[in-house]
Amino acid sequence: MTDKISREITSTARGIVRLNEPLAKHTTFGIGGPADIFFEPADPEDLATVISRATELGINWWVLGDGANVLVSDKGVRGIVIKLGRNFAKIKIDGNVVTAGASAKLDKLVTQTARIGLSGLECAAGIPGTVGGGIVMNAGTYHGCIGSRVESVKVIRSDGSTAELSQNEIGFRYRWSIFQSSISDIIMQAVFRLTPADPDELMKKVEEIRARRSRNLPSCGRSAGCVFKNPDETTSAGKMIEIAGMKGARIGDAVVAEEHANFILNIGNASAYDVKTLAEKVRRAVKDKFGVELEYEIRLVGEW
Ligand SMILES: Cc1cc2nc3c(=O)[nH]c(=O)nc-3n(C[C@H](O)[C@H](O)[C@H](O)COP(=O)(O)OP(=O)(O)OC[C@H]3O[C@@H](n4cnc5c(N)ncnc54)[C@H](O)[C@@H]3O)c2cc1C
């Protein structure tokens, strides 16, 4: 990116702009090269102005949530990386309708709604990340996925205009939403319709789910959760990886977790290249053993 374009974006923005920001600081893997421009908008108007200007200039952008489901390449991301901050994190509760800003923490939303007796988001208890990232990924567990409780999502489009998408338009499927296709919409907030229930029972369930997660998930090393999607509802990718003999496989500081074979851990200074090479090795082993091509759940981002 030229200095002229960087200056243009910097002078257009009211929020925080950093050049060559290392994305390793912003991902749960602790991995990722620099973003040409790292932008934290001051408010929705600031975001709309910068996005429409970037569109006019032909600059790419990409939105980062809490970086809990991404592997950012060692070369980093060209163009603008947008990180929504505190001004996009408000949670408003009106009866059983909950409006949450895209940068609100998903797990915090789970606690807040369960505590006042609103059921529907317990399935996301303990899942790291933001509401925006959770919507894009249709985050969940075998208890369910958050998409089933989404009524609508408000977005900013590439020309700076806003739009509202209904649950039907978003087309949630297992770990998928329309936001994973080529759509460049930026999620600003989501509306959830929940169901009244006993708050004590809900909190008990939430705590049980969290406790089970901390028993079953790797306790050390940095990760981005499950690397691959389950091939179908009854087949666990983790089990296949285990049977294919890949538990404990290692490249550099990237290791297939012993506790959960669908997790790759950065146990020190793994590079994105190490993780990706190991993931490809795992895929080949599963293909050889079962004839099944595993699909990535984590999003591979940046220049490879
Ligand atoms: C230890 C661990 C355990 C995990 N367990 C689970 C689990 O049980 N179930 C599960 O589903 N996931 C799990 N994950 C994965 C991760 O927590 C979820 O996918 C989460 O929803 C990602 O949210 P995020 O804010 O970090 O999104 P990111 O990882 O930052 O982004 C994910 C995608 O969403 C896009 N995005 C983010 N915000 C926006 C926005 N505002 N507008 C448009 N696009 C946006 C990004 O561009 C990217 O494509 C786990 C991760 C870890 C590290």
Side-chain angles (χ1 to χ4, degrees), residues 78-234:
R78 305 291 67 85
I80 307 174
V81 171
I82 297 161
K83 169 101 182 161
L84 304 182
R86 244 180 273 144
N87 287 346
F88 295 80
K90 288 192 189 72
I91 295 175
K92 194 177 124 226
I93 299 176
D94 184 4
N96 60 341
V97 175
V98 176
T99 305
S103 69
K105 305 288 178 201
L106 186 56
D107 194 40
K108 184 178 162 200
L109 182 66
V110 171
T111 307
Q112 221 164 307
T113 51
R115 211 177 257 155
I116 58 161
L118 288 176
S119 168
L121 296 177
E122 308 84 85
C123 60
I127 298 181
T130 61
V131 166
I135 300 263
V136 173
M137 301 311 302
N138 192 15
T141 53
Y142 60 85
H143 297 281
C145 300
I146 65 166
S148 66
R149 290 311 184 119
V150 169
E151 192 160 87
S152 64
V153 168
K154 188 173 175 188
V155 298
I156 288 195
R157 302 228 129 127
S158 52
D159 61 358
S161 65
T162 57
E164 202 156 291
L165 276 74
S166 68
Q167 188 192 50
N168 268 349
E169 288 169 306
I170 298 166
F172 290 108
R173 296 199 304 265
Y174 164 66
R175 298 295 173 274
W176 194 87
S177 73
I178 196 161
F179 302 110
Q180 290 184 32
S181 64
S182 58
I183 275 193
S184 51
D185 289 347
I186 299 172
I187 298 172
M188 286 205 297
Q189 67 177 39
V191 178
F192 299 89
R193 186 170 287 276
L194 304 180
T195 313
D198 178 65
D200 293 337
E201 287 297 317
L202 283 178
M203 279 311 290
K204 198 169 149 224
K205 187 172 172 195
V206 163
E207 291 311 337
E208 276 168 13
I209 294 174
R210 285 194 185 124
R212 196 170 324 125
R213 287 178 67 86
S214 40
R215 277 197 306 275
N216 296 339
L217 297 185
S219 52
C220 56
R222 305 182 69 174
S223 79
C226 288
V227 175
F228 300 105
K229 295 183 183 182
N230 292 327
D232 58 57
E233 275 177 22
T234 54

